[in-house]
Amino acid sequence: QAAGKEKSWSDLDKDVKSKLESIKANGGNIRILSSTLISPSLKSAITEFSAVYPSTKLIQYDTLSASAMISANQASFGKAVLPTYRFDKADYVVGIGCDFMSNWINPVEYSRQYAEKRKLNPKDKNMSKHVQIESILSLTGSNADKRIALKPSELGISALQLLNKLSGSSLSSKSLGANDAAISALASELNNFTGKALVVCGINNPAIQQVVNAINTHLGAYGATIDLDTPDFTRQGNDTAVAELVSELNAGTVDALFIYNTNPAYTYPGFAAALAKAKLSVYLGDRADETGANCQMIAPDHHYLEAWSDSNPRKGIYTLGQPTISPLFKTRQAIESFLTGAGNTTNAHDYISKYWENNVFSSVGASGLFTAFWNKSLHDGVISGGQATTPVSPNTSTANTTANTAATPV
């Protein structure tokens, strides 16, 4: 729809393309704002769109951001990645403001790994110890062996104090009063678990995350309980890039903004007012939420149960999804909308299949006919192996990707 009125897909595409060509001719700026994209095929489609409109930038936004961790890893190790954590290999776990069993990064995986080390069994008779440093009692804290309760303003200080005690450094930090002794005792114990300890922190602050990196480096966690070489792609949001986008919007320098699968008008203070200053705003989602209602045009996306999809959530791991029902309304899959903008009429199923043939098939070490590989991948749902090169849009902003096309949108 456009301006609150229903339009056919052909009319909507014609209007959007006309505006984009005008923006391109005048050297205007095009932006795409999305939640973290773990679909390599969708990223490839956005790359094609960006090739046609070179001023395009992709910005990824996570409501629950891990941007500080990615920035800290870039500063500490030269790798702008979110690592894989192995709670099942840790004999001593410390959580600092981090409810990893409930809402931090991958709580289902972490809870399972954590549970493995909290049970005695014939193969491993050493149950892990867990100390939680937090302000409000969390699900994770309620399972800890020891809980150190601090003010929110003291959580970052506790990380610095812990590093001081572990390494014997004299970095200045405020006293934690009665809890100084608890941090000292914690450091004394941790020093006995080199290569078997894991410290995780949920504070979205790059400086604090660098302190935590230093703690884990001192404890020999990297390569043991933390894997930087198998990055997790489920949080790619860049807080700095999002803030820059809002500044651009407020300055009136964004000529076209496409928003996909995220609702910043609800979760990001001041975004709705900034959005109103975009010369063209198009929302691609499966419902007219707070953000969609504030956009000039809505290109309704399929529900995930109606769509073909793929994902690359972690290095070497790929998944395929296929529709379980036909589209109920006059929607179109977002990947097809971006391809249409690029002048590509391929449907989602064929595009994803071709991407897998050209990129995933060889990267996972598969042999034989691609058709057999594709059918097995569809049957199994998940495959693992190597890592295909994930295409990204030129100028992409990161911390350092049988469909049915309906006639008209609702």
Side-chain angles (χ1 to χ4, degrees):
Q1 68 178 34
K5 296 181 180 180
E6 183 176 324
K7 301 191 74 169
S8 67
W9 276 111
S10 59
D11 286 345
L12 186 69
D13 291 338
K14 183 178 179 180
D15 287 352
V16 172
K17 279 191 174 183
S18 175
K19 292 178 185 296
L20 289 177
E21 289 299 329
S22 177
I23 292 169
K24 180 180 178 180
N26 291 298
N29 296 316
I30 301 170
R31 302 289 181 262
I32 299 172
L33 177 66
S34 78
S35 57
T36 285
L37 297 180
I38 58 173
S39 167
S41 296
L42 179 55
K43 281 190 173 181
S44 177
I46 291 175
T47 297
E48 289 195 25
F49 180 90
S50 300
V52 176
Y53 303 104
S55 67
T56 301
K57 287 185 180 180
L58 169 65
I59 299 99
Q60 298 180 78
Y61 164 63
D62 294 320
T63 305
L64 299 176
S65 177
S67 180
M69 298 173 64
I70 296 172
S71 297
N73 288 332
Q74 173 65 41
S76 298
F77 311 110
K79 297 181 178 181
V81 298
L82 186 66
T84 297
Y85 293 94
R86 297 300 302 267
F87 288 83
D88 56 332
K89 294 183 178 296
D91 289 340
Y92 206 120
V93 175
V94 178
I96 303 175
C98 180
D99 193 1
F100 59 81
M101 296 180 68
S102 176
N103 56 27
W104 188 71
I105 314 296
N106 289 315
V108 174
E109 178 185 29
Y110 299 156
S111 295
R112 177 185 58 78
Q113 293 178 349
Y114 175 82
E116 287 182 16
K117 291 294 291 184
R118 300 289 283 176
K119 295 186 295 185
L120 296 176
N121 61 74
K123 294 183 179 179
D124 188 354
K125 297 182 180 180
N126 296 316
M127 186 174 75
S128 66
K129 182 169 182 178
H130 173 202
V131 175
Q132 188 75 2
I133 304 172
E134 61 185 11
S135 300
I136 300 174
L137 181 62
S138 66
L139 174 63
T140 303
S142 68
N143 283 276
D145 297 298
K146 181 177 177 60
R147 181 173 176 272
I148 302 174
L150 298 176
K151 299 175 183 177
S153 60
E154 295 176 328
L155 292 176
I157 298 170
S158 72
L160 192 54
Q161 286 280 48
L162 182 57
L163 178 60
N164 285 343
K165 302 294 184 182
L166 283 168
S167 62
S169 63
S170 57
L171 293 171
S172 61
S173 63
K174 297 179 181 178
S175 170
L176 296 174
N179 286 303
D180 280 343
I183 298 297
S184 295
L186 172 59
S188 296
E189 290 188 350
L190 275 173
N191 269 325
N192 296 320
F193 288 85
T194 301
K196 290 290 185 178
L198 173 61
V199 179
V200 291
C201 178
I203 302 171
N204 194 36
N205 181 298
I208 295 173
Q209 290 293 343
Q210 287 187 59
V211 171
V212 175
N213 287 350
I215 292 172
N216 281 312
T217 298
H218 176 84
L219 294 171
Y222 293 99
T225 58
I226 303 176
D227 184 0
L228 279 168
D229 296 322
T230 307
D232 187 312
F233 301 135
T234 58
R235 294 285 192 282
Q236 299 176 49
N238 185 333
D239 295 347
T240 301
V242 175
E244 290 174 354
L245 171 63
V246 173
S247 295
E248 286 183 321
L249 286 167
N250 283 321
T253 59
V254 176
D255 295 278
L257 175 62
F258 295 84
I259 303 177
Y260 168 67
N261 196 34
T262 186
N263 188 11
Y266 181 74
T267 60
Y268 194 101
F271 187 87
L275 175 61
K277 299 176 183 178
K279 297 178 178 65
L280 170 66
S281 56
V282 181
Y283 185 70
L284 300 92
D286 65 357
R287 70 201 68 194
D289 55 21
E290 290 80 1
T291 300
N294 280 281
C295 286
Q296 299 164 15
M297 298 182 180
I298 299 178
D301 188 18
H302 286 349
H303 186 274
Y304 75 92
L305 292 176
E306 302 168 336
W308 287 94
S309 63
D310 67 347
S311 71
N312 178 202
R314 183 171 293 169
K315 181 180 178 180
I317 297 177
Y318 300 87
T319 74
L320 273 176
Q322 52 189 310
T324 59
I325 58 173
S326 297
L328 299 177
F329 303 105
K330 299 171 184 177
T331 58
R332 180 175 70 187
Q333 197 164 341
I335 189 172
E336 293 179 357
S337 292
F338 285 114
L339 288 172
T340 298
N344 188 335
T345 59
T346 308
N347 65 45
H349 169 272
D350 292 347
Y351 190 83
I352 293 171
S353 175
K354 194 65 177 177
Y355 178 87
W356 275 54
E357 183 176 6
N358 293 336
N359 297 276
V360 180
F361 182 50
S362 59
S363 76
V364 298
S367 59
L369 296 175
F370 171 72
T371 302
F373 168 78
W374 174 259
N375 290 336
K376 186 177 189 306
S377 299
L378 278 178
H379 174 273
D380 296 345
V382 179
I383 62 169
S384 60
Q387 177 67 16
T389 300
T390 302
V392 295
S393 168
N395 303 315
T396 294
S397 296
T398 60
N400 232 35
T401 179
T402 308
N404 296 287
T405 303
T408 56
V410 292

